[in-house]
Amino acid sequence: MSNTKNVMDDIVWVGADDHRLELFENIYPLPDGVSYNSYVILDEQTALMDTADIAVADTFLANVETALNGRRLDYVIVQHMEPDHSATLGALIDKYPGVVVVCNAKTEVMIHQFFRNDLVLKTKIVKEGDVLSLGHHVLQFIMTPMVHWPEVMMTYDTTAHILFSADAFGAFGALNGAMFADEVDFKDTYLSEMRRYYANIVGKYGMPVQAALKKAAGLDIHLICPLHGLVWREELPFLLDKYEHWSTYTPEEKAVVVAYASMYGNTGRVATKVAEKLSKMDVPVCVYDLSHTGRDFVLGEIFRASHLVLAAATHDGNIFEPMEYLLRDMIAHGVQGRKVALIENGSWAPMAAKQMQTLLESMKDMQIVIPIVSIKSTLSENQEEDLTKLASELMA
Ligand SMILES: Cc1cc2nc3c(=O)[nH]c(=O)nc-3n(C[C@H](O)[C@H](O)[C@H](O)COP(=O)(O)O)c2cc1C
Ligand SMILES: [Fe+2]
Ligand SMILES: [Fe+2]
C-alpha cells in the first residue's frame, strides 16, 4: 500500500518509515525507527530525489508510482550512494527504463561499484553550480564532499527555495505520520535522536559540515528536506544553530555528563556521588552506566554538554572496556574542547586514570581537572573531600 505526503503542491514525499530495523548501519540501535525520505517533483519534467533502503523497497516503489500517477519519470537525482538511499536504484531503473540518473562523476563511479554490470545507466553528470530545469523548478547542485561520504551533493531548488540536504539535518526516528518538524514537539521528542544521528554518523566531519554550512548561508532557503527525519519549514535558524555548534564541537549548554564503567557497582556509586555534588551546585547532570547505555547515545550527550566526569574501574591492568570504547569513539568522532574530571578504581594497582588521560590527550583541547581521584575498591573517608574538590574544580 502506498503512502505519500505532500511537501508542497508539486513536491511529494515518497519515502518510508522502518520500525523493523534493529541497528542502523548494523551498529546504531533504532528505538524509535528511522525514515528514508525521498521526494518526487512533479513539473513539466518529473524528478525523484534519491531512492530508499532495500528494506522498504516495495512501499517506496509503490509511493513513486502513486505520486507519478501515470506520468513518466524523467530524472532520478542521486545525492549519495550509501545503500540506505541507493539500494533500490536498480529496481527503479528497471521499472522506469530511460530515466536519467543525475549525479556527479564520483557518484557515477560508485554506482558502477555497487551495481557492477547489472545496470544500464543513462547519466547526466553534474558539477558544482550546474543547474537542471524541470520547467518551473530549477535545480542547482552543490557539492558537499564528506558530509558524510566523499561523493555527497545537495540540491537547491531555486524556484521553491528548498534545500535537499542529503544526510545533513537528518535524524533517527520514524516520521509516524508527521512530515514537518513544526508539527511535532521537536525539542522534547526528536532533538536527542537528531543529535545522536549527527554525533555518530556525521560527527567526525566537522570541517566539511562547516564548508557546507558556508555554502548554504549564501542561499535563500525556506525548506530543508533531508534524507532521514522531519522536513523543516519553520525555525531554520534553530536548526542551523545546532549544526553550527555540533560541527565546531561547541557544547550546546553548560551541563555535565557523568559516565562510568563499573563491574560491581563501586565505581558507579562514586560517580553518582559526584553527580549529587554537582546537582547541589545547580548544574544539570546526567549519569550513564556504560555497560547499559549505548556509547552512541552517550556520544550524542557529549556533543551536547560542556563538562564530563569519566569514572572507570581497572580491569586486567586496563581501563574497564566500556569506558575505553567510549574514549575511542570520542577520538574517532573528533570530540574536542571539553573539561573532564577523572575517577579511577582498582583494588590492587589502579591503572585506569593514566590510560584515560593518555586517550584524552590525543583529542584536541581537552582540559583534565586536577585532582584525579583514585579509589581503592571503595571511597575512603578522607577521599570525600577530594570528590568535593573534583566537582568544584570541574565547574570552576
Ligand atoms: C576481572 C577483574 C579484573 C580486575 N583487574 C584489576 C587490575 O588489573 N588492577 C586492579 O587494581 N584492580 C583490578 N580489578 C579490581 C577492580 O578494579 C576493583 O575491585 C574495583 O573496585 C572494581 O570496581 P567496581 O565495583 O566499580 O567494579 C579487577 C577486577 C575484576 C573483576
Ligand atoms: Fe549516508
Ligand atoms: Fe542516510
Side-chain angles (χ1 to χ4, degrees):
M1 202 184 77
S2 66
N3 171 30
T4 63
K5 279 180 283 208
N6 276 69
V7 175
M8 299 179 44
D9 280 352
D10 53 0
I11 299 185
V12 187
W13 178 87
V14 293
D17 278 349
D18 188 354
H19 278 288
R20 298 182 67 184
L21 185 69
E22 190 90 20
L23 299 173
F24 187 80
E25 292 180 356
N26 214 7
I27 183 167
Y28 307 116
L30 291 173
D32 303 317
V34 68
S35 75
Y36 309 101
N37 299 338
S38 175
Y39 309 87
V40 166
I41 304 174
L42 297 163
D43 203 339
E44 286 166 28
Q45 293 191 292
T46 61
L48 173 66
M49 304 301 304
D50 285 300
T51 62
D53 192 75
I54 201 75
V56 296
D58 288 351
T59 310
F60 163 68
L61 290 169
N63 284 350
V64 174
E65 193 176 324
T66 301
L68 288 171
N69 195 19
R71 294 189 58 186
R72 190 181 71 183
L73 181 62
D74 295 301
Y75 299 105
V76 55
I77 290 142
V78 179
Q79 304 188 108
H80 171 36
M81 267 310 284
E82 192 171 2
D84 58 334
H85 309 292
S86 68
T88 47
L89 184 62
L92 184 92
I93 293 172
D94 283 348
K95 190 165 174 183
Y96 300 98
V99 62
V100 174
V101 176
V102 181
C103 64
N104 61 49
K106 272 188 204 151
T107 308
E108 188 182 34
V109 173
M110 265 197 220
I111 295 175
H112 289 293
Q113 283 177 196
F114 276 104
F115 290 96
R116 295 296 164 192
N117 297 322
D118 297 342
L119 268 189
V120 182
L121 268 192
K122 239 170 64 181
T123 54
K124 178 179 168 59
I125 302 301
V126 295
K127 53 183 191 322
E128 177 74 24
D130 281 359
V131 293
L132 171 68
S133 174
L134 302 174
H136 177 56
H137 292 266
V138 177
L139 306 180
Q140 184 177 3
F141 303 101
I142 300 160
M143 303 303 131
T144 52
M146 297 322 302
V147 183
H148 63 130
W149 272 31
E151 84 295 6
V152 173
M153 65 180 193
M154 298 185 190
T155 306
Y156 178 55
D157 181 334
T158 61
T159 313
H161 301 283
I162 299 177
L163 181 68
F164 294 96
S165 62
D167 274 329
F169 307 112
F172 295 134
L175 296 179
N176 297 328
M179 179 84 268
F180 298 100
D182 55 271
E183 293 175 323
V184 300
D185 188 350
F186 184 83
K187 285 167 200 169
D188 276 354
T189 317
Y190 286 80
L191 176 59
S192 64
E193 282 295 87
M194 174 177 264
R195 187 187 293 112
R196 183 168 71 96
Y197 178 93
Y198 180 89
N200 290 280
I201 310 283
V202 191
K204 177 183 167 82
Y205 303 107
M207 296 265 269
V209 172
Q210 277 287 300
L213 288 176
K214 291 209 169 75
K215 287 186 184 184
L219 307 172
D220 179 20
I221 300 169
H222 298 183
L223 248 86
I224 295 180
C225 292
L227 288 176
H228 305 280
L230 296 151
V231 170
W232 289 76
R233 63 182 173 188
E234 286 179 16
E235 289 201 74
L236 299 195
F238 166 84
L239 179 65
L240 292 166
D241 179 65
K242 288 294 171 210
Y243 259 60
E244 185 62 31
H245 280 84
W246 297 337
S247 61
T248 54
Y249 306 94
T250 307
E252 287 164 69
E253 54 193 313
K254 187 173 175 184
V256 188
V257 168
V258 177
Y260 66 84
S262 170
M263 283 91 73
Y264 289 101
N266 293 292
T267 310
R269 276 188 281 281
V270 177
T272 307
K273 207 176 245 280
V274 177
E276 193 184 314
K277 290 179 191 293
L278 290 164
S279 293
K280 286 196 179 125
M281 294 161 66
D282 264 344
V283 188
V285 191
C286 292
V287 181
Y288 298 107
D289 177 344
L290 293 171
S291 296
H292 292 271
T293 306
R295 301 193 305 279
D296 57 307
F297 184 88
V298 178
L299 188 72
E301 287 289 87
I302 290 172
F303 269 70
R304 175 181 64 81
S306 51
H307 294 70
L308 308 176
V309 176
L310 302 180
T314 307
H315 183 255
D316 293 340
N318 298 311
I319 313 168
F320 185 37
E321 282 82 346
M323 178 62 75
E324 179 173 349
Y325 298 155
L326 175 71
L327 286 160
R328 296 210 178 273
D329 269 355
M330 288 165 65
I331 295 168
H333 293 87
V335 171
Q336 49 190 270
R338 298 300 192 268
K339 196 168 176 187
V340 191
L342 294 177
I343 298 166
E344 69 173 354
N345 195 351
S347 290
W348 56 93
M351 301 284 277
K354 204 165 172 38
Q355 294 178 34
M356 287 196 280
Q357 195 170 351
T358 303
L359 290 170
L360 285 163
E361 281 165 2
S362 75
M363 302 174 211
K364 217 174 137 196
D365 299 332
M366 300 299 267
Q367 191 187 340
I368 296 169
V369 169
I370 306 294
I372 291 170
V373 176
S374 184
I375 308 293
K376 285 266 175 83
S377 302
T378 63
L379 200 67
S380 68
E381 237 166 72
N382 59 14
Q383 281 186 309
E384 183 77 42
E385 186 71 6
D386 296 344
L387 226 50
T388 305
K389 192 141 182 250
L390 176 137
S392 60
E393 283 299 320
L394 179 66
M395 301 320 299

